[in-house]
Amino acid sequence: MKIAVAGIGYVGLSMAVLLSRHHQVTAVDILPQRVEMLSRRCSPIRDREIESWLAQYDLNLRATTDEKAAYAEAEYVIIAVPTNYDTQRDSFDTTAVESAVKAVLSCNRKATIVIKSTVPVGYTKSLRAKLGYDRILFSPEFLREGRALEDNLHPSRIIVGTDKTNPELEKAARDFGELLRAGSLRPEVEVLIMGTTEAEAVKLFSNTFLALRVSYFNELDTYAETRGLSTADIIAGVCLDPRIGGHYNNPSFGYGGYCLPKDTRQLLANYADIPNDLIYAIVKSNDTRKDHIAQRVMAMAEERQRQTAQTGAVTIGVYRLAMKTGSDNFRESSIQGVMARLQDAGAKVMVYEPLLSGAEEFAGCHVETDFGRFCRECDVIMANRYDSRLDEVGEKVYCRDIFGKD
């Protein structure tokens, strides 16, 4: 079977690799450097499993910037393009999704189009009506950054949204679900077929629950830190309840990254005319956590400055920008929200981030490439996730990484 994938990001590339085990897959991207890297069997994103598969296996996978060549003969076209959150419109920017679908229809009006990009609730149904084309499905992805292929190979569930009043479209959805199951290493995984609007809602509600869990343990940590209690002991006691469990419980500077911030805001926007308290609180809690972290870091820096009889603005170091260990994703990382608050409070902020090779500045902050100089010049160093490199300056470090895991 011929399959095309629009977008060579975490979602698109992991899908392309997964399906190219058994099918002929063409991956499309507007960025020539991504296409060139994939053509050389190098991963344009940081994902060890993808890198390993590209190097070891003879996958039936090619990459191109030529949309028409990729889409013209494809039976399925998977849309995995970015949908950033537009704060002006209070909604996802779905421009890239619609452009990709139109590109498919310009050369192929027989393909089944599957949207993998996260979209507002009700979007797929409205797009079908707008374009006058019914064969558009929605299938949410549930992937972790840096582990996208691993999660596709071992999925928790496979969901495909369709028009359940149309037998032909329901069959297309079941067929696509089976494609994903056959490509995975978990043949017993459950495949759920539902309406596209319900499938869109599953994605947003799932990620908002994860954001709730992150926020809960962060607020637990805020309480324990403020009262001088052991966060680790409290969390250990709470999480031994099997109904709660010991996962996703490590305090941080807040939730961030590709999905949780934008998905929670989109779900809250979908609640505009629906009574709610909890959904709003999940979004607000993340801002409150960043406020708390900034205040604690600033207080620590000012105290250290008093102890050394220094004057002038305090210098606060930021050790790494990424949300998770091993990730190259800076987008909406929680530490950036803390940085902005510290700058507003008058602090000088310095960043140590090896992935910013060649950059002298990031978000108005000096980028220091020399780790030793970085440690010497900062009054306090904040780290969302701890690294043993910081052991030598431990008295300067502010970090809420209790368990050493993401």
Side-chain angles (χ1 to χ4, degrees), residues 8 25-28 34-36 38-39 41 61-65:
I8 311 180
V25 178
T26 303
V28 184
R34 286 192 171 189
V35 169
E36 189 271 334
L38 186 54
S39 296
R41 289 299 187 261
L61 172 63
R62 72 182 190 91
T64 182
T65 57

Side-chain angles (χ1 to χ4, degrees), residues 338-360:
V338 180
M339 289 165 56
R341 287 161 171 80
L342 292 170
Q343 288 172 297
D344 289 343
K348 177 184 176 183
V349 179
M350 181 184 297
V351 176
Y352 177 78
E353 178 49 77
L355 294 175
L356 288 175
S357 177
E360 296 182 356

Side-chain angles (χ1 to χ4, degrees), residues 180-312:
L180 297 185
R181 176 153 56 185
S184 79
L185 300 179
R186 197 169 167 242
E188 75 281 5
V189 65
E190 188 167 0
V191 178
L192 301 177
I193 306 299
M194 60 183 69
T196 54
T197 304
E198 286 79 3
E200 291 159 351
V202 167
K203 171 66 174 178
L204 297 186
F205 276 104
S206 293
N207 276 346
T208 301
F209 184 85
L210 294 178
L212 165 65
R213 191 172 173 100
V214 172
S215 298
Y216 179 86
F217 286 105
N218 280 343
E219 290 204 2
L220 184 160
D221 178 59
T222 296
Y223 180 86
E225 182 184 28
T226 303
R227 292 287 187 259
L229 306 176
S230 168
T231 295
D233 286 350
I234 297 172
I235 291 179
V238 168
C239 292
L240 282 175
D241 186 327
R243 296 169 300 177
I244 297 173
H247 58 281
Y248 235 59
N249 63 356
N250 192 28
S252 66
F253 291 172
Y255 61 77
Y258 282 121
C259 297
L260 299 193
K262 69 187 182 81
D263 289 5
T264 52
R265 290 199 294 267
Q266 178 63 69
L267 185 60
L268 181 59
N270 281 122
Y271 264 90
D273 58 349
I274 297 173
N276 82 94
D277 291 311
L278 187 57
I279 305 302
Y280 169 78
I282 293 168
V283 176
K284 183 66 173 67
S285 174
N286 210 39
D287 291 331
T288 301
R289 176 64 170 178
K290 293 173 190 175
D291 291 341
H292 170 75
I293 297 297
Q295 290 165 7
R296 299 292 290 202
V297 170
M298 198 69 182
M300 181 178 174
E302 289 171 345
E303 177 59 28
R304 285 187 58 81
Q305 196 175 58
R306 280 192 293 271
Q307 291 173 359
T308 56
Q310 297 181 42
T311 59

Side-chain angles (χ1 to χ4, degrees), residues 110-181:
K110 294 182 179 179
T112 297
I113 299 171
V114 184
I115 298 174
K116 275 281 181 182
S117 306
T118 307
V119 297
V121 177
Y123 175 77
T124 305
K125 184 176 180 180
S126 66
L127 184 64
R128 285 200 299 246
K130 179 179 180 179
L131 300 181
Y133 191 75
D134 289 337
R135 297 187 69 83
I136 304 177
L137 312 177
F138 176 79
S139 178
E141 50 81 16
F142 306 101
L143 309 177
R144 294 168 293 174
E145 292 171 27
R147 298 178 180 178
L149 181 56
E150 178 185 341
D151 289 342
N152 267 327
L153 289 170
H154 306 90
S156 58
R157 72 279 207 199
I158 294 170
I159 296 174
V160 187
T162 185
D163 179 356
K164 295 189 73 176
T165 67
N166 185 321
E168 184 181 353
L169 292 183
E170 185 164 358
K171 181 181 184 304
R174 293 190 183 282
D175 289 346
F176 182 73
E178 289 305 317
L179 281 179
L180 297 185
R181 176 153 56 185

